[in-house]
Amino acid sequence: MKNHLSDIHRMHIGRLDLNLLRVFDAVYRTRSVSRASEDLGLSQPAASQAIARLRLVLKDALFVRVQGGVEPTPKAQRLATAVRLAISTLENALLEAEEFDARYARRTFRLHLTDTGEALFLPRLVTELAQIAPGMGIHSSAVPHDEIAADLDNGRIDFAIGFLPMVAGTQSVELMRDRYTVLLRQGHPFATRVLAKEEAATKLSEIDFVAVVRPHSETMFGMLLPGMEQRVKLTASHFLALPDIVQGTDLGVVVPRRIAHRFFFPFGTYETVDPEFPDIVVSLHWSKRFQHDPAHEWMRALLMRLYAEAPAPSVSGV
């Protein structure tokens, strides 16, 4: 860190101001000048001009265009952590004595959510924000699980929500619990033969499965159905294809009950097999660095109020 800070010190510091560094930080986090300008409430020309000024001062391109946005140069990569630390330190110092009023705040919160997580969490959250904090926005994307902790620390995302047992080194709180169930098409021969839960658990090896590509898919199958990873006969890229696939084939799918009620049951009738799978713990994760940021505290409280302790729906009799 000393080397990075000395790099900043060697700049022509008199030609820099905090706004230039804020634009640099936003472009680095979003990998996009247009998204950075939206986050900061600037016009795109103003953000581009700020980067152009930094390029002159630092004698480096800083960001180069790639498909879908920009990527940092090695020098920008080296400076990014020090710039984020400097901005965060100043912001935290200023915010300590500042009253946060969500009614008038303008801020975009960045969340890690999967596609199914977006369907479960975003509608209620966006509706609530429109009523109590109309100036706030949400940017949602799925981050690779091994990058979540680092992205929370460096501010690229504000919160991560989901079943994330592999994410360590974060602050977290349990929001809710769910449980996996096995869905089969109506009239599937397996469901008509197997009645007892203990019998179902031992005979699930007779079923072939469809699954969606997920970072934890193999872990999930190994935990729930030991030795059955080889029974996955179809792997799809998108979750929305699964209901039609299950309806039209003898493939089963293992899904949480909340997902079943959101994506499957409204559009068809299914047989359910309910072995005694362990609970899924859905948690809210954030970085200790932002523990006392008033805006973060407010959003954490809102997310917990909206979602904590919501019971998992029953699938019996469906």
Side-chain angles (χ1 to χ4, degrees), residues 139-196:
H139 175 77
S140 173
S141 61
V143 177
H145 285 184
D146 59 355
E147 298 177 14
I148 287 176
D151 282 1
L152 287 169
D153 279 339
N154 65 32
R156 290 192 66 184
I157 56 175
D158 295 297
F159 301 102
I161 302 174
F163 174 51
L164 303 168
M166 67 297 295
V167 175
T170 65
Q171 305 290 99
S172 66
V173 64
E174 179 180 320
L175 288 181
M176 61 181 70
R177 288 179 177 250
D178 205 345
R179 183 164 290 190
Y180 282 104
T181 189
V182 179
L183 299 186
L184 307 168
R185 66 171 176 83
Q186 188 176 31
H188 193 291
F190 180 87
T192 62
R193 287 191 297 106
V194 177
L195 299 176

Side-chain angles (χ1 to χ4, degrees), residues 47-174:
S48 298
Q49 184 180 23
I51 294 300
R53 288 176 60 191
L54 279 172
R55 285 170 171 155
L56 290 175
V57 173
L58 302 179
K59 296 180 173 59
D60 188 83
L62 297 180
F63 302 99
V64 295
R65 293 187 180 278
V66 296
Q67 184 175 3
V70 297
E71 285 294 328
T73 65
K75 185 168 187 175
Q77 191 81 41
R78 188 175 69 247
L79 293 174
T81 301
V83 170
R84 170 97 300 265
L85 178 61
I87 292 173
S88 178
T89 300
L90 180 57
E91 287 178 342
N92 288 340
L94 293 173
L95 285 170
E96 282 180 358
E98 181 179 308
E99 288 289 333
F100 177 75
D101 192 335
R103 295 172 298 172
Y104 306 108
R106 296 190 61 84
R107 178 163 180 166
T108 297
F109 284 95
R110 296 167 297 276
L111 309 182
H112 159 81
L113 286 168
T114 63
D115 52 354
T116 53
E118 288 179 345
L120 291 173
F121 289 98
L122 289 186
R124 189 175 179 187
L125 175 60
V126 172
T127 299
E128 185 75 7
L129 288 177
Q131 298 297 318
I132 64 175
M136 288 193 183
I138 298 293
H139 175 77
S140 173
S141 61
V143 177
H145 285 184
D146 59 355
E147 298 177 14
I148 287 176
D151 282 1
L152 287 169
D153 279 339
N154 65 32
R156 290 192 66 184
I157 56 175
D158 295 297
F159 301 102
I161 302 174
F163 174 51
L164 303 168
M166 67 297 295
V167 175
T170 65
Q171 305 290 99
S172 66
V173 64
E174 179 180 320

Side-chain angles (χ1 to χ4, degrees), residues 7-18:
D7 284 338
I8 294 177
H9 183 72
R10 285 196 296 269
M11 299 175 189
H12 298 289
I13 201 72
R15 298 172 62 189
L16 290 174
D17 62 44
L18 179 62

Side-chain angles (χ1 to χ4, degrees), residues 238-304:
H238 302 287
F239 196 92
L240 292 178
L242 267 59
D244 286 341
I245 292 171
V246 175
Q247 286 272 29
T249 70
D250 281 343
L251 296 176
V253 63
V254 182
V255 293
R257 292 175 176 179
R258 296 178 194 276
I259 301 299
H261 276 260
R262 176 65 176 83
F263 290 96
F264 287 82
F265 295 150
F267 310 107
T269 305
Y270 298 87
E271 307 281 4
T272 63
V273 181
D274 236 0
E276 291 294 338
F277 288 145
D279 285 352
I280 308 163
V281 178
V282 178
S283 298
L284 171 67
H285 294 255
W286 68 95
S287 170
K288 187 176 181 179
R289 287 184 55 215
F290 303 100
Q291 176 79 11
H292 301 297
D293 180 327
H296 268 248
E297 290 182 329
W298 181 88
M299 180 57 79
R300 289 200 304 269
L302 175 62
L303 291 169
M304 292 173 65

